[in-house]
Amino acid sequence: MDTIAKDKVEIGLVLQGGGALGAYEYGAIEALLELMDEIDRAGRKVTLVAVTGVSIGAINAACVVGAADRADARRRLKGLWLELSLEPRNYWWGIADHDLALFGVHGFYKPRYDYWNVLGWTNFYDTAPMLETLQKHVDFAALNASPTAFVVTAVDLSSGELTRFRNHPRMGQQAGIEPQHVLASGSLPPGFPATPIGDKKFWDGGIVDNTPLGDAIEAFSGAADVDRILVVMNLFRNKRAAPKNMIEVNDRLSELRYGNRLRQDGANAAVINELLQTIEALSAAVPEAARTPDLDRQVTRAQRFKTLGAITNIDLADSGLVKAAGLSEEGEDSGAFRDFSASGIERRRRAGYQLAQVKLDDVFRTHGLLPALH
């Protein structure tokens, strides 16, 4: 990790999908934005160059980029999660908090009632409420005009292709984000229906890749005087006791499917950095007369991928970080990702804030962005 402060600082933020676990991201984003404010007050210039997301991460990301400023982003996130919070009533006393969402989440989805057509169902819920919620809590004009790159992913139901929706044009691709693009990223079957966009239909991007790192890295500049920090929050725990029933089997399957890709990418980062060092050494050995603008551009592009070796991973499976944040190492039950109870959301928001504050404060001070602690 760099220890010398550079002229420019670029931050990329990658937000996973994970249902109600997205409240951890909500808290972590609050901590990140507050620390960025602190860096500005200290006289350093820090830029959020990209926010990428999938599923609930795409929804959180839209509130961040679709805002007037950092304070507005925090207000929008708060309003969003208040709308997604379930308040248990007395008559639900026999139902666990994480099962309340089976009956729908106001502002997100509602059950289908066309039971006469049940044999023709391909989903259990109607996600139309989320389109209204996105209109209410995201300024899409600001999102599409923002200098921050915004990228969310979804899977083309017919072709199986992972599709990226962007606010900035790239290589001739059409750009422009609307509520249905964000909803498409969170259309996880079989609970939710595919979201139609044009003549295609899309499912949740997390089916293919729940941690869109590459899209954030692409937004970094390759300049040598830039300090690049890639922040990712891993919402899924690595270890858990063996499942005791079919519901827990399904929960554990989701946990492993959606959480481990990031850990694999982290393990590959050292290999990628060795290759980059070799590329730089070989490039430096090329005589000046033999160098071409195209070669220099390729080397500069490759340098952005050094970021992989310095992923700031706010990982719920990191026992050292959990301890440092003063949180219990005892994991939540396997159904936490569907726990939209107000108490569960607030508990995760606070935990995400504490985890991010500890991790990011240390990283930012190490990068010389904040005064070192003595």
Side-chain angles (χ1 to χ4, degrees):
M1 183 181 290
D2 297 335
T3 56
I4 299 175
K6 296 185 179 179
D7 293 338
K8 300 175 183 177
V9 182
E10 296 177 348
I11 295 177
L13 178 61
V14 181
L15 301 173
Q16 288 186 333
L21 300 181
Y24 285 116
E25 292 176 337
Y26 164 27
I29 293 167
E30 286 186 311
L32 170 63
L33 297 179
E34 287 178 7
L35 285 168
M36 289 178 70
D37 286 343
E38 190 175 339
I39 292 168
D40 278 348
R41 287 194 293 271
R44 295 295 307 280
K45 180 64 176 177
V46 58
T47 304
L48 187 62
V49 295
V51 184
T52 68
V54 62
S55 201
I56 195 69
I59 295 169
N60 282 331
C63 286
V64 174
V65 184
D69 51 35
R70 294 173 197 152
D72 187 37
R74 291 193 287 269
R75 286 192 294 269
R76 289 176 182 276
L77 280 168
K78 182 177 181 180
L80 168 75
W81 283 94
L82 281 174
E83 190 150 353
L84 300 185
S85 299
L86 293 174
E87 287 287 358
R89 299 293 186 260
N90 291 336
Y91 50 83
W92 295 119
W93 63 270
I95 299 175
D97 283 349
H98 58 65
D99 289 327
L100 288 172
L102 293 173
F103 302 95
V105 175
H106 175 72
F108 196 160
Y109 59 90
K110 59 186 178 182
R112 293 180 61 167
Y113 295 110
D114 56 331
Y115 302 120
W116 60 88
N117 190 38
V118 68
L119 294 180
W121 284 12
T122 56
N123 55 278
F124 297 113
Y125 298 98
D126 175 3
T127 51
M130 177 52 73
L131 290 174
E132 297 180 13
T133 297
L134 287 167
Q135 290 278 22
K136 186 186 304 183
H137 298 290
V138 178
D139 182 341
F140 283 90
L143 188 155
N144 286 305
S146 175
T148 300
F150 174 88
V151 185
V152 296
T153 60
V155 179
D156 185 319
L157 177 59
S158 297
S159 71
E161 179 184 0
L162 184 66
T163 303
R164 290 163 171 81
F165 300 120
R166 309 171 184 274
N167 65 339
H168 295 170
R170 180 173 176 269
M171 293 187 292
Q173 295 177 347
Q174 187 174 3
I177 299 295
E178 298 178 10
Q180 59 265 36
H181 295 110
V182 181
L183 177 60
S185 184
S187 297
L188 183 65
F192 300 154
T195 297
I197 298 176
D199 60 353
K200 298 180 180 180
K201 292 184 177 182
F202 294 90
W203 272 343
D204 192 304
I207 296 171
V208 173
D209 183 2
N210 200 42
T211 313
L213 291 175
D215 298 297
I217 293 171
E218 282 289 325
F220 285 111
S221 67
D225 64 343
V226 172
D227 206 352
R228 292 175 287 274
I229 301 174
L230 183 61
V231 180
V232 187
M233 190 158 192
N234 200 331
L235 300 176
F236 295 89
R237 298 182 183 274
N238 212 18
K239 298 178 181 179
R240 189 176 295 283
K244 298 186 291 294
N245 54 54
M246 289 302 293
I247 292 177
E248 290 188 4
V249 167
N250 188 63
D251 290 346
R252 182 58 171 157
L253 178 63
S254 296
E255 199 167 43
L256 294 173
R257 177 185 295 153
Y258 299 125
N260 277 355
R261 172 68 184 272
L262 175 59
R263 297 183 181 106
Q264 292 166 3
D265 285 340
N268 291 333
V271 176
I272 292 173
N273 278 349
E274 286 181 12
L275 290 173
L276 289 173
Q277 288 168 6
T278 301
I279 290 170
E280 290 172 343
L282 291 172
S283 175
V286 175
E288 189 68 30
R291 298 180 70 91
T292 65
D294 187 55
L295 174 62
D296 289 338
R297 279 194 298 271
Q298 290 183 49
V299 172
T300 297
R301 279 179 58 83
Q303 286 173 332
R304 288 179 298 176
F305 289 88
K306 280 185 175 179
T307 307
L308 269 177
I311 295 174
T312 300
N313 185 10
I314 305 169
D315 194 345
L316 289 166
D318 184 342
S319 60
L321 176 60
V322 170
K323 278 184 182 178
L327 302 172
S328 171
E329 288 189 82
E330 184 177 340
E332 294 192 280
D333 62 42
S334 66
F337 63 87
R338 59 177 179 272
D339 174 14
F340 282 89
S341 67
S343 59
I345 285 175
E346 177 57 21
R347 182 174 65 252
R348 292 183 198 95
R349 184 202 66 80
R350 288 197 306 267
Y353 181 90
Q354 291 169 255
L355 289 165
Q357 196 171 50
V358 169
K359 185 78 172 186
L360 295 176
D361 187 84
D362 178 63
V363 169
F364 288 170
R365 292 185 195 282
T366 301
H367 279 257
L369 300 176
L370 296 169
L373 296 174
H374 300 288

